[in-house]
Amino acid sequence: MSDHDSDAASSSSRRAFLRRLALASAGAAAGAASFDLAAAAPVQRRETRHWDASTDVLVVGSGAGGIAAAIDARRAGAEVLVLEKFQVPGGSSSISGGVCYLGGGTALQKALGFSDSVEAMHDYIIAASGLHASPEKVQRYCEGSVEHFDWLVGNGVVYAQKFSDEKEISIPDGSLYYSGSERVWPFRERIPPAPRGHVPPSPHLIGGRDLMHALLDAAQRAGVQLRTRQSAERLIVEADGSIAGAMVVDERVPGSPKTLAIRARRGVVLAAGGFIHNREMVQRFAPELYACSAPWGRGGDLGIGILMGMAVGGAVQRMHHGFVVIPIYPPEDIVKGIIVNARGQRFVPEDGYYGLLGHEIAFHQDGRAWLIADDAIAYKWDDFRLPVAATAPSIAELETRLGMPPGALVQSVDYYNAHARDGADPLLHKAAKFVAPLGRAPYTAYDLSVQNVFAPVHTFGGLQTDVDARVIGAFGDPIPGLYAAGRTAASIPVAPYIGSGISVGDASFFGRRAGRHAAQRKV
């Protein structure tokens, strides 16, 4: 076996391990999860003989959406109970980068000398989200962004006054960066770019852990009650269709689960995550995501919140949408390469946010693409993220080894090089700092196909909600007493994903609105 073959085998082994790790993180529960509405069928209130516990607002899930809902519901005067399926609270938010996409002139933006406006933030999110944007929600989110940043800080989330210009979460001690495609064409030409990725400083990319530690501590100080190893599985419905509470499985005593009826006098907030670890649901609703190599999220992302909402008549939206990350950087030099499809043609600006790259490959290129690099920019180590598909002394031979149409890749590289020598990219308008001709042999093709590359993925589809996070029924009216936030709801995050932090930002922002509305609901 050659050194190259040995390296490739080693890289493949590491990728296989990461895929197994991602799949295993769902735990044993994921193996039993399926698209089974019957298992989530509601219980009628008249069939509930007694209540085992009561609260004003019952929150299902302890990620950013659930804990934000709990904090603001409690501060609005409600008694609040949060249920977490697993022993450790925090949900998928706790293993995220901890980025919140915020702008419009936050205190951190101003302190670091950046000018931003609600209008610019709004226009970028709408433009980058494409046809699936939620205009009213985006407007509320942008208008409330400055206050939401202040709320995070007020709840103990720490940010450093340091900007990072690199194309990645600031490492090790920065807190503000360009987390999307704000400086990518065509957005940079139409909308004043500003850095909006706000993240707790972290040398090991564990900002999500720090974010959730702060919010969980704030919830405890506010008087929120949190129970771990308890999971809601069915809603309890009054005769008029309003939500009265939930049937909960209590697994605090190993091997002796109990079923409890918990009353929610004012409302239930479903914030139980998405469904990336419910493989049957993913295969049914989001086949493009099912093909990706690394399902990503905490083990509770089994879709149970979505299923419970559907079972009581809740409408769902954008169930095929999700976030596909193909992290070709860091280092930034690799962005000077070109990304091509099976026809040897470029189709996406390589300096785009890596969620944009993943989206274009997964949804528009049948999940197949290659990154072409010369020796000047190729990785100088065996990078587990990107398997090497082929190396060759010339572009023509590389094209042959990849099985592309004769002359197609050669033509793409020749065209790119002809303009790159002048620092230009008239086809896709890559930023000048990333434009350089490919001319130093050998040439390497990295496999970006979603089944082979390290491609973390999670879901965005979920229950339809309004601006107060009320779940909308199939006939267009809110279901009384039922709310959803985070990835249990279909909200601002869509495909393509506009930038790191819009998911956690959306979850915490609309989680707060859910909590306040539920706490003030008249019953």
Side-chain angles (χ1 to χ4, degrees):
M1 178 181 288
S2 68
D3 290 343
H4 174 73
D5 290 339
S6 177
D7 289 345
S10 176
S11 180
S12 176
S13 176
R14 283 193 296 276
R15 289 192 305 278
F17 169 75
L18 286 166
R19 176 175 171 80
R20 290 195 300 272
L21 181 64
L23 286 167
S25 69
S34 64
F35 180 68
D36 185 2
L37 276 180
V43 174
Q44 298 302 313
R45 170 68 177 85
R46 62 179 178 273
E47 299 172 4
T48 306
R49 301 294 182 182
H50 69 280
W51 297 110
D52 296 288
S54 295
T55 188
D56 289 328
V57 178
L58 178 65
V59 180
V60 181
S62 67
I67 295 302
I71 290 172
D72 273 24
R74 185 74 188 102
R75 289 176 181 163
E79 182 183 2
V80 183
L81 171 61
V82 177
L83 304 179
E84 167 55 49
K85 181 178 180 68
F86 295 104
Q87 182 64 37
V88 178
S92 292
S93 304
S94 65
I95 62 170
S96 73
V99 186
C100 283
Y101 193 89
L102 301 167
T106 66
L108 185 60
Q109 287 178 316
K110 290 180 177 179
L112 292 172
F114 290 98
S115 176
D116 194 15
S117 67
V118 170
E119 291 75 20
M121 181 184 179
H122 169 273
D123 291 349
Y124 170 71
I125 295 177
I126 292 293
S129 297
L131 298 176
H132 297 282
S134 301
E136 190 174 3
K137 286 183 179 178
V138 171
Q139 185 69 37
R140 295 291 182 96
Y141 182 73
C142 294
E143 290 174 347
S145 182
V146 169
E147 184 275 337
H148 191 54
F149 175 77
D150 294 341
W151 180 88
L152 291 167
V153 173
N155 282 294
V157 183
V158 175
Y159 296 95
Q161 288 196 14
K162 182 177 179 180
F163 167 71
S164 175
D165 200 34
E166 60 187 319
K167 287 180 64 65
E168 182 49 276
I169 293 177
S170 305
I171 304 173
D173 56 356
S175 279
L176 184 67
Y177 75 113
Y178 286 91
S179 67
S181 294
E182 297 88 356
R183 295 187 289 185
V184 176
W185 185 89
F187 309 116
R188 66 174 182 250
E189 306 294 332
R190 298 158 41 191
I191 305 161
R196 302 189 183 102
H198 293 63
V199 59
S202 171
H204 304 296
L205 293 181
I206 54 173
R209 186 193 69 173
D210 297 340
L211 173 80
M212 290 311 302
H213 275 177
L215 295 183
L216 285 162
D217 286 347
Q220 182 180 34
R221 291 193 303 270
V224 170
Q225 184 181 3
L226 170 65
R227 294 184 185 176
T228 58
R229 299 193 62 79
Q230 290 195 10
S231 57
E233 298 192 353
R234 304 169 74 184
L235 292 168
I236 300 172
V237 182
E238 297 280 8
D240 64 358
S242 62
I243 304 303
M247 300 300 296
V248 174
V249 175
D250 182 352
E251 296 183 293
R252 288 177 293 179
V253 178
S256 301
K258 297 180 180 178
T259 300
L260 309 175
I262 298 182
R263 182 186 182 193
R265 289 181 288 265
R266 298 189 180 278
V268 174
V269 180
L270 300 174
F275 59 96
I276 194 61
H277 287 310
N278 186 326
R279 304 306 288 163
E280 184 174 323
M281 279 185 74
V282 177
Q283 189 172 36
R284 175 168 180 161
F285 290 113
E288 294 90 350
L289 307 183
Y290 186 82
C292 296
S293 65
W296 208 254
R298 284 280 290 274
D301 282 358
L302 299 169
I304 185 61
I306 298 171
L307 293 175
M308 284 194 292
M310 293 174 69
V312 296
V316 293
Q317 284 184 306
R318 301 188 292 272
M319 292 293 283
H320 64 299
H321 280 215
F323 171 60
V324 182
V325 173
I326 296 186
I328 66 171
Y329 54 81
E332 288 188 3
D333 269 359
I334 199 67
V335 179
K336 295 175 181 176
I338 63 171
I339 296 176
V340 298
N341 59 20
R343 295 178 294 280
Q345 299 169 333
R346 292 177 70 209
F347 59 93
V348 64
E350 293 81 10
D351 60 338
Y353 170 55
Y354 50 37
L356 174 63
L357 305 184
H359 172 81
E360 291 297 319
I361 294 169
F363 286 89
H364 297 150
Q365 302 298 331
D366 296 325
R368 303 176 66 206
W370 292 264
L371 169 63
I372 309 300
D374 69 359
D375 190 57
I377 62 172
Y379 296 115
K380 304 309 178 186
W381 59 85
D382 178 27
D383 197 304
F384 74 90
R385 297 171 299 174
L386 283 79
V388 173
T391 58
S394 69
I395 294 296
E397 188 168 340
L398 189 68
E399 173 187 87
T400 299
R401 293 184 182 183
L402 294 173
M404 291 178 177
L409 181 60
V410 170
Q411 184 181 53
S412 292
V413 173
D414 286 348
Y415 178 86
Y416 176 76
N417 282 350
H419 294 282
R421 294 185 186 98
D422 297 324
D425 178 19
L427 182 65
L428 293 171
H429 308 279
K430 184 160 59 173
K433 66 180 288 189
F434 299 120
V435 175
L438 302 175
R440 185 188 298 177
Y443 299 93
T444 302
Y446 296 99
D447 190 352
L448 302 188
S449 302
V450 297
Q451 291 180 317
N452 300 326
V453 72
F454 179 54
V457 57
H458 59 252
T459 59
F460 285 156
L463 295 168
Q464 182 182 354
T465 56
D466 64 10
V467 295
D468 289 313
R470 295 181 295 177
V471 174
I472 304 302
F475 294 98
D477 297 319
I479 297 174
L482 187 62
Y483 303 80
R487 300 292 57 83
T488 301
S491 193
I492 291 180
V494 298
Y497 196 41
I498 65 101
S500 291
I502 199 67
S503 182
V504 174
D506 163 89
S508 51
F509 182 85
F510 286 101
R512 294 177 60 200
R513 293 185 70 89
R516 292 196 300 270
H517 195 281
Q520 296 162 3
R521 177 172 168 258
K522 291 181 171 55
V523 292

